[in-house]
Amino acid sequence: SSGVELTLSTINIKQKNFEWSTDFTFSHTNNKITKLDSRTNVLSLVSGLGYAREGYPVRALFSIPFVGLNEEGLPQFINQEGNKTVTDINFQEVEKTDFLKYEGPTDPTITGGFGNLFHFYGVTVNVFITYSFGNVVRLDPYFASSYDDMTALPRDFRNRWTLPGDETKTNIPVIASVRQNYSYGSYELATCYNAYNYSTERVAKGDFIRMKEISVTYDLPSKVLNDVPLSKVSFKAQVTNPFLIYADKKLNGQDPEFINSGGVATPMAKQFTFTLRLGFK
């Protein structure tokens, strides 16, 4: 494991009634497992949490190679035997795992922040941005061989396979029919869609730039407080996590910073805060 950290603080403008200062932080880390006397199965290697494998980062993500949809709209893969298949994927395989594609680490390799502080006539404005790069994210595993009326389907399904020939225009599989479930077998078809959830098609970059905080603080001038038993009155309005400036479009609005078991989960909550500070003489 190795890494570097950098902090740069500057005062860009300093005048009687106006000051602008900047803080920039940057860190870069690398790690690699050089020896590991253990084995793991396919399912662990393709999970969104990342897994340890010799020659790769501590939490590496691998994927089942996806090679397009067939004429029925079902996803196809390269399996542990090197053959193209729809259902013949062994998630418990521990010997033949080299068919999996390495996607990258699930932990970011570059992180940091960029803060700007402005002071003018008793008003202080703080604008703080955070960023993270270098990792990959397993998208939510919401594809299945069957659904019920309680299932909330994501926007990806608008572009799914619906008619013969669509396999040349989309990589979103068909919603399997009763006939297909009967023809392939419900268990086999469930394996097919599970393989799609953990395939090369269901990975996005975890890179993001986030507006982390914006705050405005106003301090009443001391001369205003001469006739009251207060030494300081300060008002502060603050919003935290207001929006993402940049994220991979493949996330479709899912938040790359909040990772749950199996993929991306609930977005970071926006927080609005108003603070009143009083100092007494």
Side-chain angles (χ1 to χ4, degrees), residues 143-188:
F143 288 88
S145 57
S146 62
Y147 306 93
D148 57 36
D149 292 340
M150 299 301 292
T151 304
L153 302 181
R155 70 180 74 174
D156 302 55
F157 280 64
R158 293 181 301 181
N159 300 319
R160 70 184 185 278
W161 189 102
T162 56
L163 295 170
D166 284 352
E167 62 271 15
T168 63
K169 299 183 292 185
T170 183
N171 286 330
I172 307 298
V174 66
I175 295 180
S177 65
V178 174
R179 180 187 61 80
Q180 286 173 315
N181 271 282
Y182 179 79
S183 175
Y184 284 90
S186 58
Y187 176 80
E188 295 294 325

Side-chain angles (χ1 to χ4, degrees), residues 11-29:
I11 298 177
N12 307 311
I13 299 176
K14 189 170 185 178
Q15 298 177 350
K16 181 180 179 181
N17 295 312
F18 179 74
E19 182 176 324
W20 171 30
S21 60
T22 297
D23 289 301
F24 175 75
T25 59
F26 171 88
S27 69
H28 180 269
T29 59

Side-chain angles (χ1 to χ4, degrees), residues 11-280:
I11 298 177
N12 307 311
I13 299 176
K14 189 170 185 178
Q15 298 177 350
K16 181 180 179 181
N17 295 312
F18 179 74
E19 182 176 324
W20 171 30
S21 60
T22 297
D23 289 301
F24 175 75
T25 59
F26 171 88
S27 69
H28 180 269
T29 59
N30 261 323
N31 64 73
K32 180 180 179 180
I33 297 172
T34 57
K35 185 171 178 61
L36 182 65
D37 295 325
S38 68
R39 298 185 303 172
T40 188
N41 60 20
V42 168
L43 183 59
S44 296
L45 292 171
V46 300
S47 73
L49 299 177
Y51 211 82
R53 189 178 185 186
E54 187 172 317
Y56 296 93
V58 171
R59 296 206 310 151
L61 181 64
F62 296 83
S63 290
I64 298 168
F66 170 77
V67 290
L69 305 179
N70 67 9
E71 64 280 359
E72 295 182 78
L74 297 174
Q76 303 174 103
F77 317 95
I78 299 298
N79 68 3
Q80 60 277 358
E81 304 297 336
N83 302 322
K84 183 188 289 188
T85 183
V86 171
T87 62
D88 185 21
I89 297 290
N90 182 9
F91 282 95
Q92 301 306 319
E93 177 66 51
V94 295
E95 296 288 349
K96 301 176 182 178
T97 58
D98 289 339
F99 76 100
L100 298 174
K101 179 189 174 184
Y102 171 62
E103 302 284 5
T106 57
D107 295 315
T109 57
I110 296 175
T111 57
F114 180 58
N116 287 275
L117 203 60
F118 304 90
H119 299 278
F120 51 99
Y121 292 103
V123 177
T124 301
V125 177
N126 179 34
V127 179
F128 183 57
I129 295 171
T130 58
Y131 61 88
S132 176
F133 295 93
N135 64 309
V136 291
V137 170
R138 172 69 68 202
L139 298 178
D140 278 339
Y142 45 57
F143 288 88
S145 57
S146 62
Y147 306 93
D148 57 36
D149 292 340
M150 299 301 292
T151 304
L153 302 181
R155 70 180 74 174
D156 302 55
F157 280 64
R158 293 181 301 181
N159 300 319
R160 70 184 185 278
W161 189 102
T162 56
L163 295 170
D166 284 352
E167 62 271 15
T168 63
K169 299 183 292 185
T170 183
N171 286 330
I172 307 298
V174 66
I175 295 180
S177 65
V178 174
R179 180 187 61 80
Q180 286 173 315
N181 271 282
Y182 179 79
S183 175
Y184 284 90
S186 58
Y187 176 80
E188 295 294 325
L189 213 55
T191 300
C192 165
Y193 280 91
N194 205 32
Y196 182 76
N197 286 325
Y198 296 108
S199 72
T200 51
E201 190 64 19
R202 300 297 297 161
V203 175
K205 293 180 180 179
D207 304 347
F208 70 86
I209 303 174
R210 180 187 297 279
M211 180 62 70
K212 189 65 177 178
E213 179 185 316
I214 302 173
S215 66
V216 179
T217 305
Y218 177 63
D219 295 313
L220 282 179
S222 56
K223 61 183 179 181
V224 178
L225 305 175
N226 288 337
D227 299 327
V228 295
L230 297 172
S231 60
K232 183 176 182 178
V233 176
S234 175
F235 305 92
K236 181 179 181 181
Q238 175 181 320
V239 56
T240 306
N241 300 320
F243 55 87
L244 278 167
I245 299 172
Y246 165 78
D248 190 347
K249 291 182 179 178
K250 200 172 180 180
L251 290 168
N252 268 333
Q254 299 175 31
D255 197 295
E257 194 175 8
F258 192 83
I259 307 301
N260 197 4
S261 178
V264 182
T266 307
M268 302 289 284
K270 296 181 179 67
Q271 296 180 352
F272 299 89
T273 308
F274 181 77
T275 305
L276 171 63
R277 289 189 174 92
L278 303 174
F280 294 89

